[in-house]
Amino acid sequence: MAGLVVRGRADRPKTHTLTIPRHKERSMTVSRTVELEGHIIDSGMMGTCFGVVMDMGGEFEVEEFEVGRTKHAETYCRMRVTADTEEDLRAILHELNQQGATVTDPRDATLEAAPEDGVVPVDFYSTTNHPTVVRVDGEWLPVEDVEMDCALVVDRSGETPRVHTTVLNAIEAGDLVVTGDTGIRVDPPERPRNGTGSFGFMQGGVSSERPSASLIEEIADEMRAVNEDDGTVLAVCGPAIVHSGGRNALADLVRTGYVDALSAGNGFAVHDLERDLYGTSLGVDTESLEHPRKGHKHHIYTISEIVRLGGIEAAVSEGVVSEGVMFECLENDIPYVLAGSIRDDGPLPDTITDAIEAQDAIREQAQDADLVLMLSTLLHSVAVGNCLPSTTKTVCVDINPATVTQLLDRGSAQAIGLVTDIGTFLPMLRDELLE
């Protein structure tokens, strides 16, 4: 049995001894000491770390445990982790690192030059989307442009070193890539005892049925705050916005400055433009729900007309397109990225058909966003979500509960979701903001 001393930070003289059974008794040969600090009990971090060690065949002994005894106080845990071999211990420490544990005797990160363009060292560190710092030359440096599934590159070209994430295809020969887990600290989201509000750590959860007026008010308040701070609200849009009748409400939000950037696929732009040119979306009149003759051809006619004119901007400047979301983006200098896919008709001249180029454009948008509205598009929202730090506030809206759940589970520390018709949500949000 391993002894555990519990010290309440608000009352250090009081001590209690608890016992924790070890995973199993056997001879161990290597060990390291790690620390956890923060709201590690409320967030489940401590229990998760205990489970990681045992599930991976190691053992742990808690050497010190100081419990924060007020709502704002943090908890501290130091434990020794042991394993059969260095390789086993390294694997355990890697998983603990992803949960926010750090070794007590930090060393500089290990750097290895990339052997050639697009090739990283074998043991490169694969990033999470959580805030991360790396120890270089004895100093802890924050990682710039935090993003999951990237490599960490140390840039020594300036007066002081910098650390930034780099996607694997952008690695250049000679780049100093961080390998292993030494000298890396990850700060995953916590759940403090006093977490309040819809944007607290998953506090909003998934709201089903009709949109909650109070929840929409919370989202509107956040959009106002971002607007007042000259921040960026990024709208990730699917064609269902047009099909369901939410197009005009979104256009109003763009026109009035509550949406600062737009990310979508070719389909969204096509149906938005089709609605202006023919009064239909996918050949259906969104107001009368009638199917005009040859309506099923309207989307391809729209693409042909925009191509003939030379693009969306030309169509707007010549007065062919006079309303809608894309119109408002151009009229109000709102940047947009249209990323193509294998399913696209046309596509429009404005659509980026190179997948790597589209990823880079989306990545630039995502890193600049303070609040992201994911509006009825699973695949495009996943693409944007992959580029977001876990600290970016996110709103996910879709009629499919599985879509909302999947988007919320992508690691954001501040996310809320609504299972509802986007054609109902957007007008309610518009009214809350404008009326």
Side-chain angles (χ1 to χ4, degrees):
M1 308 294 282
L4 171 64
V5 178
V6 180
R7 296 190 181 93
R9 288 189 166 186
D11 190 5
R12 288 184 180 274
K14 292 184 179 180
T15 61
H16 306 277
T17 299
L18 304 179
T19 57
I20 295 179
R22 291 185 178 179
H23 181 49
K24 51 188 171 183
E25 295 296 335
R26 66 182 183 185
S27 174
M28 295 289 184
T29 56
V30 291
S31 65
R32 292 288 294 276
T33 301
V34 300
E35 296 174 311
L36 294 168
E37 190 164 12
H39 298 284
I40 60 177
I41 298 176
D42 302 331
S43 65
M45 184 192 302
M46 187 174 70
T48 298
C49 288
F50 288 171
V52 164
V53 176
M54 294 186 290
D55 291 344
M56 298 184 69
E59 291 185 9
F60 65 87
E61 182 174 353
V62 177
E63 298 178 336
E64 184 176 354
F65 188 28
E66 299 182 20
V67 181
R69 297 179 63 185
T70 67
K71 288 196 300 184
H72 302 287
E74 296 182 341
T75 297
Y76 171 82
C77 175
R78 185 179 73 238
M79 66 180 181
R80 178 166 291 277
V81 179
T82 54
D84 285 330
T85 66
E86 285 286 355
E87 183 177 356
D88 291 340
L89 182 60
R90 189 162 52 248
I92 293 172
L93 292 177
H94 172 79
E95 293 302 320
L96 292 177
N97 173 274
Q98 306 298 291
Q99 301 300 325
T102 57
V103 294
T104 56
D105 53 340
R107 308 163 190 164
D108 281 354
T110 303
L111 308 180
E112 187 175 338
E116 56 184 283
D117 290 352
V119 180
V120 292
V122 174
D123 194 28
F124 80 100
Y125 177 84
S126 178
T127 59
T128 71
N129 62 346
H130 303 315
T132 304
V133 293
V134 176
R135 197 171 190 268
V136 179
D137 299 337
E139 299 290 335
W140 289 102
L141 305 178
V143 173
E144 301 172 10
D145 300 329
V146 173
E147 181 182 343
M148 66 172 65
D149 301 330
C150 293
L152 290 175
V153 172
V154 176
D155 182 359
R156 294 186 178 276
S157 60
E159 294 183 4
T160 59
R162 297 170 46 244
V163 186
H164 57 85
T165 58
T166 301
V167 293
L168 300 193
N169 63 69
I171 290 290
E172 298 181 358
D175 280 348
L176 294 178
V177 179
V178 176
T179 59
D181 298 284
T182 301
I184 301 168
R185 288 180 176 173
V186 177
D187 185 19
E190 297 181 342
R191 185 187 292 111
R193 292 184 181 93
N194 63 334
T196 57
S198 297
F199 278 98
F201 182 89
M202 301 301 286
Q203 293 292 313
V206 178
S207 172
S208 58
E209 301 176 0
R210 68 184 300 277
S212 164
S214 60
L215 193 55
I216 288 180
E217 182 179 352
E218 183 86 15
I219 296 169
D221 286 344
E222 189 62 34
M223 292 177 68
R224 290 191 189 96
V226 172
N227 184 273
E228 291 171 1
D229 291 340
D230 293 325
T232 298
V233 174
L234 170 62
V236 184
C237 305
I241 293 173
V242 184
H243 307 334
S244 64
R247 167 182 179 261
N248 291 342
L250 180 58
D252 289 343
L253 295 179
V254 173
R255 184 179 66 256
T256 53
Y258 284 107
V259 170
D260 306 287
L262 184 139
S263 183
N266 183 71
F268 170 80
V270 169
H271 295 301
D272 174 65
L273 297 166
E274 176 193 343
R275 181 71 180 82
D276 187 27
L277 296 180
Y278 295 97
T280 60
S281 177
L282 268 181
V284 178
D285 189 309
T286 56
E287 295 182 4
S288 68
L289 300 183
E290 294 180 351
H291 295 256
R293 183 173 177 272
K294 294 187 177 181
H296 62 286
K297 298 182 179 181
H298 286 174
H299 77 284
I300 203 69
Y301 289 166
T302 298
I303 293 172
S304 175
E305 185 64 18
I306 300 301
V307 170
R308 183 178 296 109
L309 293 168
I312 301 174
E313 183 175 0
V316 170
S317 64
E318 294 189 24
V320 176
V321 172
S322 58
E323 64 176 28
V325 179
M326 302 310 301
F327 171 82
E328 295 297 347
C329 284
L330 285 163
E331 286 292 288
N332 296 281
D333 295 322
I334 301 300
Y336 60 85
V337 172
L338 302 180
S341 80
I342 198 67
R343 306 182 306 278
D344 288 339
D345 292 322
L348 293 167
D350 306 69
T351 300
I352 303 173
T353 56
D354 183 290
I356 301 302
E357 184 183 345
Q359 284 181 359
D360 290 341
I362 289 172
R363 184 171 291 110
E364 184 176 350
Q365 277 191 323
Q367 290 290 341
D368 193 45
D370 299 291
L371 174 65
V372 178
L373 306 178
M374 297 180 174
L375 307 174
S376 290
T377 171
L378 172 60
L379 297 180
H380 209 87
S381 294
V382 167
V384 174
N386 285 344
C387 302
L388 291 175
S390 64
T391 51
T392 303
K393 294 182 178 181
T394 305
V395 178
C396 310
V397 184
D398 201 282
I399 197 68
N400 186 346
T403 296
V404 175
T405 300
Q406 182 174 341
L407 294 175
L408 289 185
D409 286 344
R410 301 199 65 75
S412 175
Q414 302 181 91
I416 56 177
L418 290 89
V419 179
T420 190
D421 177 25
I422 194 66
T424 303
F425 169 78
L426 281 171
M428 290 181 68
L429 179 62
R430 185 265 316 274
D431 293 345
E432 180 65 36
L433 282 167
L434 304 185
E435 297 179 9

